[in-house]
Amino acid sequence: MDLRIFTEPQQGASYDTLLTVAKATEDLGFDAFFRSDHYLRMGNSDGLPGPTDAWITLAGLARETKRIRLGTLMTAGTFRLPGVLAIQVAQVDQMSGGRVELGLGAGWFEEEHKAYGIPFPKEKFARLEEQLAIVTGLWGTEAGAEFSYEGRHYQLEKSPALPKPAQAKVPVLIGGHGATRTPRLAAQYADEFNMPFASLEDSERQFGRVRAAAEAAGRKGADLVYSNALVVCVGKDDAEVARRAAAIGREVHELKANGLAGSPAEVVDKLGRYAAIGSSRAYLQILDLADLDHLELISAQVQSQLD
């Protein structure tokens, strides 16, 4: 199973902090560094020093890392026009030498839209569907040809469909718990389906829906990568687990029930259960970005047992 590091910078992180974590991610042998796309803290965090922009962050990291994949879980469709997003992602992919992946979602956190004057439309899912069609359509248009699109929410006329990403195909991630529309959209556009913060039972059920939707759309269910995003809290002993749980304001029993928590052996065992239902990639949600020893422990005693 691939292990990827997933951060939530809206809770309070500067670019320099994110760079430090990304370099540790690379040095410790993890597969990728991903981040959320939010502009407002959640919960009791003070959010200092304030939000950072997802794609500006990834552009910087593209030039300061060499190996790891870089991406978003998930870019909010409400934040960016699809034509502009296609340009941004293609440019960052070029800057990274072809290491970018695009997780794209509809957007959901209304309060951050109010806080920063971003429109929060009612029909978010229909917009997301058009955004996926446009972004992938722009990238897939042959050089020298033009791309046009006539949708309900977006219209493009004779776009040169430039620039192109460095990769022939930027992997697209779609995720969520929706029973009908989400699997259908994943079947049409996704290279990877991500199940965020879900139990084994819910993940298995949703993976099955996505596989069935893919097959109904003429794809093989196995064509997609299936992954989970889960909070992680690992310690060498019970005291260290408790200390790390307290540092992020969580209870150990809750973390064990809803995430990956406990000793390295306990976490390896639970990852194995996710692998058994078809998950081949885990995004480890790291909430204490100052605790680099946590990453070192996961690398040395969890990741090493999954190779």
Side-chain angles (χ1 to χ4, degrees):
M1 177 175 283
D2 293 334
L3 296 187
R4 295 181 159 190
I5 299 304
F6 171 45
T7 61
E8 301 274 6
Q10 76 277 357
Q11 298 302 95
S14 66
Y15 173 75
D16 286 340
T17 296
L18 296 171
L19 174 60
T20 298
V21 175
K23 286 187 172 181
T25 298
E26 185 159 86
D27 292 343
L28 293 169
F30 293 103
D31 183 57
F33 174 94
F34 271 58
R35 60 157 291 163
S36 61
D37 188 19
H38 287 294
Y39 292 134
L40 191 66
R41 63 171 175 75
M42 302 169 193
N44 296 324
S45 167
D46 61 18
L48 295 175
T52 50
D53 181 83
W55 285 101
I56 290 176
T57 296
L58 295 176
L61 298 180
R63 307 302 287 180
E64 299 196 72
T65 58
K66 296 181 173 64
R67 176 188 59 80
I68 50 173
R69 307 289 294 177
L70 300 166
T72 51
L73 283 182
M74 300 283 186
T75 289
T78 48
F79 288 174
R80 298 167 180 86
L81 297 171
V84 174
L85 180 62
I87 292 169
Q88 290 173 322
V89 177
Q91 182 179 0
V92 178
D93 194 51
Q94 291 174 359
M95 293 168 70
S96 71
R99 294 184 284 122
V100 159
E101 303 185 10
L102 172 63
L104 185 58
W108 61 270
F109 189 19
E110 186 173 5
E111 292 306 310
E112 68 186 337
H113 294 74
K114 291 178 179 178
Y116 286 97
I118 303 168
F120 190 69
K122 291 183 179 179
E123 295 185 355
K124 293 181 287 298
F125 199 91
R127 289 174 181 268
L128 173 61
E129 189 162 5
E130 291 191 12
Q131 289 165 337
L132 285 162
I134 291 166
V135 171
T136 58
L138 287 167
W139 291 340
T141 299
E142 292 185 8
E146 294 178 333
F147 176 81
S148 296
Y149 183 86
E150 187 65 31
R152 180 180 176 188
H153 301 286
Y154 304 102
Q155 299 81 39
L156 285 74
E157 183 177 341
K158 297 182 179 179
S159 172
L162 297 172
K164 301 299 186 193
Q167 298 174 88
K169 175 73 171 69
V170 172
V172 172
L173 289 73
I174 293 172
H177 298 253
T180 304
R181 293 188 301 175
T182 296
R184 176 181 59 78
L185 209 57
Q188 186 172 1
Y189 292 107
D191 300 284
E192 177 177 336
F193 180 78
N194 179 262
M195 192 61 170
F197 311 111
S199 67
L200 286 157
E201 295 76 16
D202 288 345
S203 297
E204 185 173 25
R205 186 181 305 112
Q206 188 71 332
F207 290 165
R209 290 173 181 146
V210 173
R211 289 191 191 96
E215 289 165 5
R219 299 177 67 182
K220 295 179 180 179
D223 285 348
L224 284 79
V225 172
Y226 297 88
S227 63
N228 287 88
L230 294 160
V231 63
V232 66
C233 180
V234 189
K236 294 189 294 290
D237 51 37
D238 290 346
E240 190 166 85
V241 175
R243 176 178 63 78
R244 288 200 163 110
I248 60 174
R250 304 279 285 269
E251 297 291 335
V252 173
H253 67 88
E254 178 267 324
L255 288 169
K256 287 189 176 185
N258 299 314
L260 301 168
S263 68
E266 287 179 284
V267 171
V268 169
D269 177 71
K270 193 162 187 181
L271 284 169
R273 283 183 274 159
Y274 276 98
I277 63 165
S279 183
S280 62
R281 182 171 289 160
Y283 293 81
L284 307 180
Q285 185 194 44
I286 301 293
L287 295 175
D288 184 355
L289 299 183
D291 187 2
L292 298 182
D293 289 342
H294 194 197
L295 296 184
E296 292 180 6
L297 177 64
I298 296 168
S299 174
Q301 297 192 33
V302 176
Q303 181 173 243
S304 63
Q305 297 187 56
L306 301 173
D307 294 338

